[in-house]
Amino acid sequence: MAELESYLRTDRLPFIWCPGCGNGIAVRAVLGAVDRLGLPKDRVAVVSGIGCSSRASGYLDFCTLHTTHGRAIAFATGMKLARPSLTVIVLTGDGDALAIGGNHFIHAARRNVDITVVLFNNCIYGMTGGQVSPTTPLGARSATSRLGNLEPPFDAARLAAAAGASFVARVPVTKPFQLSRYIEMGIRKRGFALIEALTPCPTAFGRQNKLATPIENMRWIEEISIEASRASQLGEGALGGRVVTGVLVDAERPEYVASYEAAAEASRAEGLRVGLPAREVVRAAECLERGEVV
Ligand code: SF4
Ligand code: MG
């Protein structure tokens, strides 16, 4: 990590994450991607919501925006519209992005807004005490499903793909270099990119599901996932509930901000007045450009 230390607000360390949590691996993968792409720190905006993974924005020395629960993608959309030249990365969890933020998630994918969403999927609400989340597997125990979860989980990657995302990939944090490469590909892609990182939460998920050590939790993640090339050999019926990993979508589609700018330019050419983004969004974007924490 030493070579990436310049991307950290070291005065905020140590971080709050539990020993064995996968969040640090996923954050390391994000920093590696940004570093390889050579993006200046003041041209990168990291937006997060609420939850364990969303605390990451506080430790990162980019333009950062720590927002309200579930709204990270909505803030990021406004940020990208106000300042299209920024590279906008959303760090979010399964509860944040898929429960309270579920509508923002599917509609940003549908619009194909040029933001990169890194979804830390640990199958549970970690920070708030281990409640069932939209990705908790059937039968898994949580603080709010003591007898086993009765609700079928969302497949976040398939959801984004069905909604229209340009780039979708999924990988366990046990493959950190692959994860970092997918994040890099997602940032490069002009359009909505989802990278789902399957990550252990030994504290809130593991302890309730006989996976209390980090290594047990990581092994379980590997057992429930299968690479796309192997999955296609086996066929859908033989997957036994395992989630497919790898690059699942890599497509070219019209990107929303570019379409908006083209429409605005055409309207101006006709002498029509085109509304500016909300004043708050513009003000926040100006703070970010000055490198201030918003
Ligand atoms: Fe990580 Fe879970 Fe601890 Fe949160 S509760 S820091 S997700 S291990
Ligand atoms: Mg979670």
Side-chain angles (χ1 to χ4, degrees), residues 118-199:
V118 182
L119 173 62
F120 297 53
N121 181 4
N122 57 13
C123 305
I124 199 97
Y125 279 89
M127 194 178 77
T128 50
Q131 296 90 346
V132 74
S133 92
T135 60
T136 304
L138 265 178
R141 281 166 54 91
S142 76
T144 47
S145 60
R146 302 305 300 157
L147 302 177
N149 181 25
L150 301 175
E151 303 173 12
F154 264 151
D155 183 321
R158 283 190 169 176
L159 188 62
S166 275
F167 183 85
V168 178
R170 170 163 53 202
V171 66
V173 296
T174 50
K175 299 191 168 98
F177 298 111
Q178 207 169 338
L179 173 60
S180 190
R181 205 164 56 246
Y182 290 165
I183 295 169
E184 183 183 338
M185 291 166 78
I187 294 172
R188 279 185 194 277
K189 173 63 69 175
R190 193 125 193 261
F192 186 91
L194 171 73
I195 296 90
E196 182 184 350
L198 303 171
T199 180

Side-chain angles (χ1 to χ4, degrees), residues 30-144:
V30 173
L31 297 184
V34 169
D35 192 58
R36 287 193 302 282
L37 289 166
L39 299 171
K41 289 201 287 188
D42 62 353
R43 305 312 302 159
V44 176
V46 172
V47 186
S48 66
I50 296 296
C52 290
S53 55
S54 288
R55 296 294 292 263
S57 59
Y59 304 123
L60 301 181
D61 192 21
F62 299 113
C63 311
T64 55
L65 194 59
H66 193 179
T67 73
T68 47
H69 202 184
R71 311 301 176 205
I73 290 176
F75 278 86
T77 300
M79 189 67 58
K80 188 69 188 178
L81 276 163
R83 289 291 182 271
S85 63
L86 288 175
T87 296
V88 180
I89 301 170
V90 174
L91 305 182
T92 182
D94 42 294
D96 190 56
L98 301 173
I100 192 167
N103 260 331
H104 299 303
F105 180 87
I106 55 175
H107 292 295
R110 175 177 65 86
R111 294 183 186 114
N112 202 32
V113 183
D114 184 23
I115 58 179
T116 302
V117 176
V118 182
L119 173 62
F120 297 53
N121 181 4
N122 57 13
C123 305
I124 199 97
Y125 279 89
M127 194 178 77
T128 50
Q131 296 90 346
V132 74
S133 92
T135 60
T136 304
L138 265 178
R141 281 166 54 91
S142 76
T144 47

Side-chain angles (χ1 to χ4, degrees), residues 191-272:
F192 186 91
L194 171 73
I195 296 90
E196 182 184 350
L198 303 171
T199 180
C201 168
T203 303
F205 183 82
R207 283 185 191 167
Q208 300 190 80
N209 289 284
K210 300 192 173 103
L211 302 165
T213 68
I215 198 74
E216 284 171 326
N217 208 153
M218 286 194 188
R219 281 201 185 114
W220 172 77
I221 289 171
E222 295 218 311
E223 282 162 18
I224 59 153
S225 55
I226 181 166
E227 288 199 17
S229 53
R230 176 104 181 93
S232 62
Q233 286 170 358
L234 291 177
E236 184 82 25
L239 296 183
R242 283 174 289 180
V243 291
V244 180
T245 61
V247 176
L248 307 177
V249 176
D250 188 357
E252 299 303 325
R253 292 184 52 230
E255 190 276 321
Y256 182 79
V257 178
S259 302
Y260 179 89
E261 288 194 318
E265 193 50 50
S267 299
R268 280 189 212 103
E270 288 179 22
L272 298 174

